[in-house]
Structure formats: C-alpha cells, structure tokens
Amino acid sequence: MSTLITGIHHITAIAGNPQKNIDFYTGILGLRMVKKTINFDAPDVYHFYFGDELGAPGTVFTTFPFDGARKGTKGTGELTYTAFSISSQSLSFWMDRLAQFNIPTSTPLTRFGEKVLRFEDHDGMGIELIANDRDSRKGWTYGTIPLEYSIRGFYGATLNLKAKELTEKLLTQFMDYKFIAEEQGRYRYGTEGKPGDIVDIVVDKDGRQGIQSAGTVHHIAFRTDNEATQLKIQKKLLDNGYHVTEVKDRNYFKSIYFREPGGVLFEIATDEPGFAIDEDEKLLGEALKLPLWAEPHRERIEKSLAKVTINLEKYA
C-alpha cells in the first residue's frame, strides 16, 4: 500500500501584534516570509507564512496575528513546542544570537542523542532548535544569518496529552507513522524518522488543559502528495470513525481537518500547488494576496489590517 502521509506540512499558531510577529520570525530566526494573506475564516486578520526560499512543505510556520490578544497557556491537549532543525555546527551561533536579542534559552538539553535549545517567542510560543547532522535541506537566509547556520525547516513537534494510546493508534494505524523510541517519558514517532516528520508525545495525565490564544499552536498539518491521496486518507479516517471535514481550498494547498483523540487539531494538506501560483518566486511575501472571493472587498480588508514591513537592518 502506498504511503499517504509523508511528514509535517505546516504548523499554524495564534500570535499577537503582527509587526512583532514578523520581526521575530524574519528578523531573529531568519525565516522567509513566503506569503502575506488573510485568515480565510476571519478575513480581517492576517495569515503570515514563514519558511524556506519557496515555502516547501515541512518548512512553513504560519501565524494568525490578533493584535491585543491575551496570551494563552501551555497545557494538555496542545502542541506545546515546535522544533526547528539546525546543523550541529550552528548550536553555539544560535545561543549567541538569541542572547544578543535578550531571548532567554534553556541550557542545551540532550534528547535522543541530539542537542536541543528551548526558548519562547515574544508571545510565549514554545520553540526548540534541534542540532543534528541528518538534515540535507539547505535552508534560507535574507543575508543576516550565514546560510550554513540557517534553519533548515521543521524537525518535529511535541504533543502534550493526558494519554497517548488513542493518539498513537491514529498515528500508527491510519497516518503512516511508526513508533521510533521512548526516552524519559517522551514517545517518538515518524514516517521515516527524519527531520521534518517527527512527532513526540509527552504524557501528563494530571496536567491542566491548555488555553488557546496568543502564543499557542492552533493546528498541525501533515503532508500528502495531492488531491487524490488526500481523498484516500479522508476516506480511511472517515471509515474508522474520525470526524473529518470536507476538503477546503486554501489556494496554496487543499485541506481537511479533524481532532485527534487528545484534542489537538490535525490537518492533512496537499503538497500541491505551492506558494508561487500567484507571485513571482523572487517576490514571495511582499504583496497582500487575497483569494478570488475576497478580491471585491480588498479596499475594506486592507483598511482593516495594520501596516506591516520586513525590517532586517536591526537584526543583521
């Protein structure tokens, strides 16, 4: 049987101030803004996509920035830490860079034999950088970060759950994931076990439920090749009792959604067609791009959105 899911497609978070959001992810972390659009379900709110040069699946961290939103809290039923992949040689660079911008970090942790640096963004979003020599992706830079030290894309994600059994069943029986290893109460799964497809489950049976708002993850999306494979996984999930949405057109991919048993919102997104369908590759992320149904309302939408810019000088 062919593999229907091949790893993580994107991770979407709720943020606060949109300019601070851009400053952190383009300026400090050095990700490229590959798309500036709107939340299709809330058109008066931006939807930013940050990733590598072209926003390849497995590199894109996206945000819904609600200016003035209160901060959420980490807890069970949530994706609590998004992990990005960096080269082993770049760990000290990132420790120095984050210190330069007064971002507190953990001391380097060791997890499954690799070094991990943990910190939070300005909204309290949980972030990890995992240093490894297993990632062949080349990364991206605006020129403010040496390419060899740049973020390669996602490494993986941590789900904080009250129990793992039903989520493990979903991943391993219906989503092409395999159990890899356990270490100190952290259970690791992957499609191939490489950076970009890792899902860790940490069980906290007595933990308090997380509160979703600024600084928390809204959902995690998994990759599937195209619309045909998406329909196959949709049928597979429906046939096994999961409540899956109809296919939704997100312009740059097609999506279906459902909640896994622990409460985290899952999405299955197609690799096709990508972010270059409505912008030149060299200009990705520069203009506000709207879906066709929103174009008649462009003037009103633009007036409702705060003016934002990419300002890299102070982060060089």
Side-chain angles (χ1 to χ4, degrees):
M1 184 178 293
S2 61
T3 299
L4 299 178
I5 291 177
T6 57
I8 297 171
H9 186 281
H10 66 269
I11 293 173
T12 296
I14 301 172
N17 181 273
Q19 186 60 59
K20 290 182 179 179
N21 190 243
I22 290 174
D23 289 347
F24 187 88
Y25 287 97
T26 63
I28 295 175
L29 293 192
L31 301 177
R32 185 182 190 188
M33 178 181 272
V34 294
K35 194 62 61 178
K36 179 171 60 176
T37 182
I38 55 171
N39 182 333
F40 287 8
D41 300 316
D44 293 335
V45 177
Y46 278 120
H47 192 178
F48 298 146
Y49 293 76
F50 306 100
D52 70 358
E53 182 177 8
L54 299 180
T59 73
V60 179
F61 185 74
T62 98
T63 60
F64 302 138
F66 291 83
D67 199 12
R70 63 179 176 83
K71 288 190 177 182
T73 59
K74 297 181 183 68
T76 59
E78 283 193 339
L79 192 167
T80 49
Y81 284 91
T82 298
F84 293 98
S85 176
I86 59 173
S87 65
S88 293
Q89 65 175 344
S90 66
L91 184 62
S92 60
F93 168 86
W94 281 103
M95 293 175 66
D96 292 342
R97 182 169 180 82
L98 293 168
Q100 176 187 349
F101 295 107
N102 300 311
I103 298 170
T105 68
S106 68
T107 56
L109 313 170
T110 300
R111 182 187 301 159
F112 296 106
E114 295 171 332
K115 294 296 183 183
V116 179
L117 195 64
R118 175 176 279 190
F119 56 98
E120 295 181 345
D121 75 1
H122 54 288
D123 287 318
M125 177 68 56
I127 300 173
E128 294 177 334
L129 298 179
I130 300 188
N132 68 94
D133 295 318
R134 302 186 295 119
D135 197 336
S136 60
R137 295 173 293 182
K138 68 177 183 178
W140 153 265
T141 181
Y142 278 109
T144 54
I145 294 172
L147 182 62
E148 63 269 26
Y149 298 149
S150 66
I151 288 173
R152 304 297 196 242
F154 291 126
Y155 184 96
T158 296
L159 308 184
N160 187 7
L161 307 177
K162 286 184 175 289
K164 72 175 180 65
E165 286 74 19
L166 293 179
T167 304
E168 180 180 65
K169 177 181 178 181
L170 167 66
L171 289 169
T172 59
Q173 294 189 22
F174 308 123
M175 292 182 62
D176 297 311
Y177 269 72
K178 304 174 184 65
F179 173 71
I180 296 174
E182 182 272 336
E183 182 179 273
Q184 297 180 341
R186 176 179 291 267
Y187 300 84
R188 174 156 292 185
Y189 307 84
T191 56
E192 297 181 21
K194 66 182 187 303
D197 74 10
I198 298 295
V199 172
D200 288 351
I201 294 177
V202 173
V203 177
D204 184 2
K205 63 180 181 179
D206 299 318
R208 298 183 65 178
Q209 185 77 17
I211 298 174
Q212 197 169 80
S213 192
T216 64
V217 168
H218 185 269
H219 64 268
I220 178 172
F222 295 88
R223 299 176 61 176
T224 194
D225 288 346
N226 51 48
E227 293 179 58
T229 57
Q230 184 180 65
L231 291 174
K232 288 180 181 179
I233 187 65
Q234 182 191 48
K235 182 178 187 303
K236 186 177 183 180
L237 292 166
L238 287 169
D239 288 348
N240 285 281
Y242 296 94
H243 300 286
V244 187
T245 69
E246 72 279 9
V247 175
K248 296 180 183 291
D249 187 350
R250 301 309 194 191
N251 268 28
Y252 312 107
F253 44 86
K254 299 289 180 64
S255 300
I256 57 175
Y257 301 85
F258 63 102
R259 288 206 179 268
E260 58 84 27
V264 180
L265 183 60
F266 277 12
E267 174 184 350
I268 311 295
T270 59
D271 282 359
E272 301 171 347
F275 294 104
I277 60 167
D278 59 0
E279 280 184 296
D280 186 281
E281 292 178 358
K282 295 180 180 178
L283 303 177
L284 287 178
E286 294 189 10
L288 176 67
K289 307 304 293 186
L290 299 178
L292 289 178
W293 56 263
E295 277 294 348
H297 312 290
R298 174 176 284 274
E299 184 176 359
R300 180 190 64 77
I301 289 171
E302 288 185 338
K303 286 181 179 179
S304 72
L305 297 170
K307 301 299 181 184
V308 293
T309 59
I310 296 175
N311 180 8
L312 301 173
E313 290 182 9
K314 61 182 178 180
Y315 299 108

